[in-house]
Amino acid sequence: MTENPNRENVVSYYDEHVKNKLNDYIVVNPRIEYGWETIKRFTPSKPARILEVGCGMGNICSRMRKYWPDAVITGIDISTMSIQIAQKLFGDSKLNFKESILTPDTFNEQFDLIIFMDVYEHIAVTDRPAVHAALAKILRDKGRIILTVPTPANLKWSLVNKPETMQPVDEHISFDVIGKLAADTGTEVILYELKNVWNVGDYAHIVLEKNSDFEAAFFHPKPVTASQRSRRIFNKAIYKLGSFFRRGFVRKKLG
């Protein structure tokens, strides 16, 4: 677990690294390209409102603006300089940038899609409850959260071999962490996919979906249909037949 630096130090760090973010926009970065492909694949159809948390200088927001021209898109970031540059480069009537962190008080509207592009691992453990509460509040039913994160193995390797690349907060995002995120936000994990960006399995792409229909079905299950009941009876007979032959095989071999 990373020792939490104060907010001023975090802002200063990201302000100083704006040049790197601009370079990622100008020059192709495989990490971003992989992330963009996942965003396109798993974004709900015709999203009306999109939020990117930790948008940097607006690279992904600008792509989404072109790809979904009817959507209203908001990008937030803790870095003052990043937001200023993003607004100058890409801001318009449907794409707005805001210097902010995500808390339950940040937004009152709901979103169809919320993106954390290599951002969630930089949220301190102590700050997660507020972020999760905000997501539970602002994610619309059938809406999705898309995250791209370095795998724990990637961060362990980087700490030893490239310590200069480590950021003020770099948390390991394990399966348990994702499970907690899903539980707190009332979502299901519908994708956990490893990507080979620079090394084998160095990034994970995760998609969570809020689906009230699933919850309703879980707590109020529908009775099976006649055809489903017939299929169950047929399968049960097949299982028993297989069990009969396996029992005979075991007796023959073992006596």
Side-chain angles (χ1 to χ4, degrees):
M1 183 183 298
T2 307
E3 183 178 350
N4 296 347
N6 61 50
R7 179 169 177 174
E8 290 75 18
N9 289 342
V10 173
V11 173
S12 176
Y13 173 88
Y14 289 115
D15 279 349
E16 291 173 2
H17 287 75
V18 166
K19 184 177 180 181
N20 293 338
K21 298 174 186 177
L22 280 171
N23 191 60
D24 286 342
Y25 171 69
I26 296 169
V27 180
V28 173
N29 183 323
R31 173 181 60 80
I32 293 175
E33 300 308 315
Y34 276 101
W36 175 234
E37 290 303 316
T38 294
I39 290 169
K40 289 191 293 183
R41 282 171 57 205
F42 287 94
T43 291
S45 176
K46 297 180 180 179
R49 301 191 73 88
I50 300 174
L51 170 66
E52 184 180 7
V53 180
C55 64
M57 44 67 64
N59 186 347
I60 291 297
C61 282
S62 68
R63 296 189 188 199
M64 293 189 294
R65 176 72 178 91
K66 295 176 182 176
Y67 202 79
W68 294 289
D70 295 329
V72 176
I73 302 169
T74 302
I76 65 172
D77 200 282
I78 197 172
S79 166
T80 304
M81 192 172 296
S82 293
I83 291 298
Q84 290 174 347
I85 292 175
Q87 193 65 38
K88 288 181 180 179
L89 287 175
F90 307 116
D92 63 25
S93 61
K94 288 193 173 183
L95 175 51
N96 181 56
F97 297 95
K98 178 180 180 180
E99 181 186 343
S100 179
I101 59 173
L102 184 61
T103 73
D105 298 324
T106 308
F107 296 102
N108 289 318
E109 67 264 40
Q110 291 192 311
F111 297 88
D112 302 290
L113 174 66
I114 302 174
I115 294 172
F116 292 79
M117 185 84 162
D118 287 11
V119 168
Y120 189 77
E121 70 275 15
H122 304 310
I123 298 173
V125 173
T126 53
D127 293 332
R128 285 179 192 163
V131 173
H132 293 186
L135 292 171
K137 171 187 174 184
I138 66 176
L139 183 65
R140 183 173 288 130
D141 188 41
K142 304 297 191 300
R144 291 180 175 180
I145 303 170
I146 299 179
L147 306 97
T148 66
V149 297
T151 57
N154 181 1
L155 286 181
K156 291 176 183 177
W157 183 90
S158 297
L159 183 61
V160 173
N161 297 279
K162 290 188 174 182
E164 70 279 2
T165 65
M166 303 300 289
Q167 300 192 24
V169 177
D170 265 315
E171 301 289 352
H172 291 187
I173 307 305
S174 64
F175 291 117
D176 287 344
V177 172
I178 296 302
K180 176 64 171 170
L181 171 62
D184 287 351
T185 56
T187 58
E188 302 173 73
V189 179
I190 64 171
L191 175 76
Y192 185 96
E193 186 174 55
L194 293 181
K195 296 291 185 179
N196 307 326
V197 180
W198 288 289
N199 297 294
V200 175
D202 53 354
Y203 278 83
H205 289 189
I206 303 139
V207 181
L208 303 97
E209 182 179 75
K210 179 181 284 188
N211 190 337
S212 61
D213 290 343
F214 173 82
E215 293 181 358
F218 182 80
F219 290 110
H220 304 284
K222 298 178 181 179
V224 296
T225 64
S227 62
Q228 290 171 329
R229 189 176 297 109
S230 297
R231 172 58 63 179
R232 286 184 178 181
I233 294 172
F234 175 78
N235 286 341
K236 189 174 182 179
I238 293 297
Y239 299 153
K240 285 185 175 180
L241 184 62
S243 178
F244 172 81
F245 284 112
R246 287 192 294 273
R247 186 177 291 110
F249 171 78
V250 171
R251 287 175 177 173
K252 180 179 179 182
K253 292 293 185 178
L254 300 180

